[in-house]
Amino acid sequence: MTDASRTPSGQDAGKTSSFGFRDVDAKEKVRMVRGVFDSVASSYDLMNDLMSGGVHRLWKDAAAAKLNPRPGETILDVAGGTGDMSRRYSKMARAAQLRMGGDDAKVIVLDYNAEMIMAGVHKGGEPEMTWTVGDAMALPLPDASVDAYSISFGIRNVADVPQALREARRVLKPGGRFLCLEFSRPTSGAIRKAYDAWSFHAIPRIGEWVAKDRDSYQYLVESIRRFPDQPTFRQMIEEAGFKRVTVTNLSGGVAAIHHGWAI
C-alpha cells in the first residue's frame, strides 16, 4: 500500500512558510511556487547556465559522484525538473553495470510541476528514467522502497521542509542514501558580498531579459537567502532520522551537498 493519498502537512491550514522575503500561508506558497515554475519551465536550463556561468554543471557532477548510483538500484530524484540529475544517475549506473554486471537501475524523476516534467520529457531522457508528477511532502511511494533519494535545488521551494525530510526518510530502504544539493551560505565575507551583489542585481535582470520574468527570479534569489545555513540544515536532516550526515561546500559555500544515511 502506498501513501499517495496522504495530505501534505505543509498545506495544513494556519501554517506559514517563506516565499522569498515574505511569510505566506503554506498552502498559498505551494500555489505560488507552482506559478513560478510554470513561468520559467521553458527557459529553466538556459537560465541556470547564465546565472551560474555554467558552474551548476560541475556542482551537479560532484553531487552525482557523491550519490554513486549502482546497478539495480531505485533512485528517486525529487524536484527533478527537466531531468539534469537523473540523466547523470542513469549514465553512471549504466557504466557501473557494464563494469560489474547486475540489473538495470530505475531512476524516478518526480516534480510537483507538470510544466517542468513536460520540458524534461521534450528534452529527452535515458532508458532508466521514468517521469511523474508528485509532492515532496507526500511522496506517492511505499515505505522503504528506494535505495537513494536526491533533491537538487528544490528543497527550499517546499512549503514544509521538515515534512519533506521525513518523507525522504520514510521511502528509503534501511541503509539508503539521502543527498541534497542546494544553494547555501558562502563561508567567507568576501565571497558572500560578491555573491549578493551578483544575485540581487544581475539575476533578476537576466530573468527579465531572457525569460521575460523578473519577479520569478527575484523570488528565487530571495528564497536562497531565507534558506537555513549549512549547520542548521544538517541538524534538520538529523532530526528527520538520518545518521552520519556530512556537508560538502562547493565554490566556497555558494552551494553545498548534504549527505546522510537511513540507518
Side-chain angles (χ1 to χ4, degrees), residues 28 38 49 62 84 118 123 127 131 190 195 206 208 228 260:
E28 183 68 2
D38 280 346
D49 280 331
D84 262 9
M118 291 307 298
K123 188 175 180 180
W131 305 81
Y195 184 59
I206 295 172
E208 184 175 16

Side-chain angles (χ1 to χ4, degrees), residues 16-34:
T16 61
S17 186
S18 64
F19 183 82
F21 287 156
R22 291 183 286 157
D23 290 321
V24 299
D25 181 86
K27 186 175 181 179
E28 183 68 2
K29 174 172 178 174
V30 172
R31 185 191 66 78
M32 294 167 76
V33 169
R34 181 164 54 193

Side-chain angles (χ1 to χ4, degrees), residues 188-204:
S188 79
I191 295 175
R192 191 176 306 122
K193 184 176 180 179
Y195 184 59
D196 281 348
W198 166 254
S199 57
F200 279 105
H201 296 289
I203 289 177

Side-chain angles (χ1 to χ4, degrees), residues 38-211:
D38 280 346
S39 174
V40 305
S42 62
S43 57
Y44 184 75
D45 292 326
L46 173 61
M47 281 297 301
N48 282 343
D49 280 331
L50 293 174
M51 288 188 300
S52 71
V55 175
H56 75 100
R57 298 175 183 272
L58 301 179
W59 295 341
K60 290 173 178 176
D61 288 344
K66 182 75 172 177
L67 192 73
N68 191 25
R70 314 306 292 166
E73 289 189 327
T74 297
I75 299 168
L76 178 62
D77 181 16
V78 176
T82 58
D84 262 9
M85 295 303 298
S86 287
R87 291 183 189 87
R88 287 171 169 82
Y89 299 150
S90 298
K91 292 173 182 177
M92 291 176 70
R94 198 181 321 137
Q97 185 183 28
L98 290 173
R99 294 194 305 270
M100 64 180 61
D103 296 330
D104 294 342
K106 180 180 180 182
V107 182
I108 304 168
V109 190
L110 181 144
D111 199 282
Y112 191 75
N113 187 274
E115 292 294 327
M116 292 290 286
I117 289 289
M118 291 307 298
V121 171
H122 180 74
K123 188 175 180 180
E126 298 293 332
E128 295 82 0
M129 292 167 60
T130 59
W131 305 81
T132 187
V133 175
D135 191 339
M137 297 181 294
L139 295 169
L141 295 168
D143 296 353
S145 58
V146 304
D147 298 284
Y149 171 109
S150 162
I151 184 166
S152 299
F153 302 117
I155 202 161
R156 73 183 188 281
N157 297 315
V158 173
D160 188 338
V161 172
Q163 171 63 13
L165 293 173
R166 289 191 293 269
E167 277 291 272
R169 181 65 181 82
R170 179 184 67 80
V171 301
L172 278 167
K173 298 175 183 178
R177 312 185 301 287
F178 168 88
L179 182 141
C180 178
L181 171 63
E182 187 54 87
F183 291 108
S184 198
R185 196 67 51 85
T187 54
S188 79
I191 295 175
R192 191 176 306 122
K193 184 176 180 179
Y195 184 59
D196 281 348
W198 166 254
S199 57
F200 279 105
H201 296 289
I203 289 177
R205 291 180 182 178
I206 295 172
E208 184 175 16
W209 295 334
V210 176

